[in-house]
Amino acid sequence: MIDTLKQILKKNYNPSIAHKQSQYMKNKFSFYGIPKPKLRQITKPFLQTSLSLFTSEIIEILYQLFYENKREFHYIAIDLLTIHIHKFSYLDFQQLYLLIDLYPWWDSIDALQKPFSLWIIQHPEYLREVSLTWNNTNSIWQKRSAIILQLKHKQNLDTSLLTEIIIFNKNSSEFFIQKAIGWILREYSKTNPLWIKEFIDQHKDLSNLSKKEGLKYIK
């Protein structure tokens, strides 16, 4: 499956766009130069073919895709994960943790948030365990994933857990951690602005970046 996909992507290689994409990502990754809408159109048959696969086969393909050096493969892997995430058991889900640290950058981490969050919404009993497992690692990307895991949970967001995780990370010098704290606070302010305002008032030692982002939609 992947060999066929690779051949199709190579045929659509656009060096000019690829160069710009790589520059945008600070030259951390190489690209085929395929815009996202076109990439999704190209990979649609691949994703449809995957519908008959077992979860063990999907996990194997996910890792094969992530070990490819072109960034498009990682985006395809995340799309593949998203359409199959509802099939995964907790054991299956745990096998996805290492994906977070494979060629990590903000684009892959933030894209992985969607399928991870969808799974947690279906299995809320594992929210705390998953969040704290990621949060207690040395990986800034797993910590970021823990912070933004509840990004779209709205009124179901566990404020006690979020508070615990933010306090744990509030003194981090990592930009992507502070940005994530601000992001989750800003997003939850759409649902509960009063809680956000009170939280920031009570935790004045939050970074200026986190506070600024968190208060962005609160007048």
Side-chain angles (χ1 to χ4, degrees), residues 63-104:
Y63 277 94
Q64 289 174 353
L65 288 168
F66 258 93
Y67 277 116
E68 292 288 340
N69 65 355
K70 295 291 187 184
R71 195 58 162 169
E72 284 89 350
F73 285 111
H74 309 160
Y75 299 151
I76 295 168
I78 296 169
D79 285 343
L80 176 68
L81 176 60
T82 301
I83 65 173
H84 289 284
I85 193 67
H86 65 284
K87 304 175 184 177
F88 284 31
S89 67
Y90 183 43
L91 181 60
D92 295 328
F93 189 75
Q94 288 176 300
Q95 294 182 63
L96 305 176
Y97 292 3
L98 293 178
L99 290 176
I100 296 172
D101 290 309
L102 284 179
Y103 299 102

Side-chain angles (χ1 to χ4, degrees), residues 197-213:
K197 189 175 186 307
E198 290 177 348
F199 178 84
I200 292 177
D201 285 344
Q202 292 168 8
H203 298 88
K204 298 185 184 299
D205 56 345
L206 289 173
S207 73
N208 289 334
L209 173 60
S210 296
K211 288 188 285 189
K212 180 181 178 181
E213 289 291 315

Side-chain angles (χ1 to χ4, degrees), residues 27-176:
N27 297 310
K28 289 181 175 291
F29 311 104
S30 60
F31 289 81
Y32 282 117
I34 305 172
K36 285 283 184 69
K38 186 175 181 179
L39 180 64
R40 287 207 164 96
Q41 182 181 4
I42 290 171
T43 57
K44 188 175 181 180
F46 168 81
L47 296 175
Q48 288 178 330
T49 301
S50 76
L51 296 176
S52 61
L53 297 176
F54 295 108
T55 53
S56 59
E57 294 173 307
I58 294 164
I59 291 170
E60 182 180 351
I61 292 172
L62 286 171
Y63 277 94
Q64 289 174 353
L65 288 168
F66 258 93
Y67 277 116
E68 292 288 340
N69 65 355
K70 295 291 187 184
R71 195 58 162 169
E72 284 89 350
F73 285 111
H74 309 160
Y75 299 151
I76 295 168
I78 296 169
D79 285 343
L80 176 68
L81 176 60
T82 301
I83 65 173
H84 289 284
I85 193 67
H86 65 284
K87 304 175 184 177
F88 284 31
S89 67
Y90 183 43
L91 181 60
D92 295 328
F93 189 75
Q94 288 176 300
Q95 294 182 63
L96 305 176
Y97 292 3
L98 293 178
L99 290 176
I100 296 172
D101 290 309
L102 284 179
Y103 299 102
W105 197 236
W106 63 264
D107 59 328
S108 60
I109 301 306
D110 297 353
L112 281 167
Q113 180 274 332
K114 179 180 178 180
F116 288 164
S117 179
L118 287 173
W119 191 88
I120 286 295
I121 288 171
Q122 291 179 326
H123 306 275
E125 67 273 22
Y126 293 112
L127 169 62
R128 182 175 180 82
E129 185 174 344
V130 171
S131 297
L132 295 184
T133 296
W134 292 347
N135 190 57
N136 293 334
T137 67
N138 292 322
S139 164
I140 68 164
W141 301 112
Q142 290 197 39
K143 290 180 186 296
R144 181 177 172 92
S145 297
I147 294 167
I148 64 174
L149 183 58
Q150 298 189 77
L151 196 65
K152 299 299 182 181
H153 288 203
K154 298 183 178 180
Q155 68 274 8
N156 294 319
L157 185 143
D158 185 330
T159 54
S160 176
L161 176 60
L162 180 62
T163 299
E164 184 177 345
I165 292 173
I166 289 177
I167 289 174
F168 186 89
N169 290 289
K170 67 180 180 179
N171 295 320
S172 172
S173 60
E174 292 289 346
F175 169 82
F176 288 110

